[in-house]
Amino acid sequence: KAGVTQTPRYLIKTRGQQVTLSCSPISGHRSVSWYQQTPGQGLQFLFEYFSETQRNKGNFPGRFSGRQFSNSRSEMNVSTLELGDSALYLCASSRDGATYGYTFGSGTRLTVV
Amino acid sequence: SQKIEQNSEALNIQEGKTATLTCNYTNYSPAYLQWYRQDPGRGPVFLLLIRENEKEKRKERLKVTFDTTLKQSLFHITASQPADSATYLCALESIGGRDDKIIFGKGTRLHILP
């Protein structure tokens, strides 16, 4: 079966711009979560959506937001980009949270210049 | 503050031997502990999950132990192979409560030497 698909794979943006990243979960998975991965901080949880509702949120500023659609696809938006937002953004899906583990996509590599 | 630590940045193990990776944590009450493998340029791949009330779990050549008193998990790969070379991440997940939902260690890079 198809895995978790993230688009685009690479993105270069200018400081101050905004960006939208997309994630298509595995069919039947209703939970979608987003993570930021940097060499310094490692993998950090941004937020989780389940059935179109944000269920959990990490410790990131309000510039980071997301949403989930009725088909479980999810988007993440970062407004007013800063140089420090350069990172690998990963999306993961699961049937319902941790019990079955998370299936990650290959990520979107965002570079802010 | 919540903290999760994984042993040494890199671990070199001879092929055929058992690789043991450590994950320690403080100030966190996990319901689940998970181990992932990550290869360069790829997302993490789920390997094993163990619940707070479980002591050990196995899957093929993999074994995970979880000691909530010591606040430690050990991850073992037996009969290691060069293909096992990767970064291994430990993750703790909480349900409800005041802890962050999920936290990850920074990973241990494992090199299996032929």
Side-chain angles (χ1 to χ4, degrees), chain B residues 61-75:
Chain B
R61 294 185 296 112
L62 309 179
K63 185 178 86 171
V64 173
T65 62
F66 192 16
D67 188 327
T68 54
T69 301
L70 290 178
K71 298 186 184 300
Q72 180 182 78
S73 173
L74 298 178
F75 177 76

Side-chain angles (χ1 to χ4, degrees), chain A residues 44-105:
Chain A
Q44 294 183 283
F45 171 72
L46 281 157
F47 30 67
E48 180 200 14
Y49 285 87
F50 183 84
S51 294
E52 302 180 64
T53 301
Q54 187 179 87
R55 192 158 70 169
N56 289 285
K57 189 177 187 306
N59 297 317
F60 278 81
R63 299 185 297 106
F64 293 81
S65 63
R67 59 178 175 168
Q68 186 180 32
F69 302 96
S70 58
N71 61 358
S72 291
R73 190 177 70 85
S74 178
E75 288 182 346
M76 190 193 96
N77 184 274
V78 188
S79 62
T80 319
L81 284 165
E82 300 176 359
L83 296 179
D85 297 332
S86 294
L88 180 65
Y89 289 89
L90 291 157
C91 163
S93 74
S94 72
R95 276 185 257 178
D96 183 11
T99 314
Y100 304 99
Y102 295 99
T103 303
F104 282 83

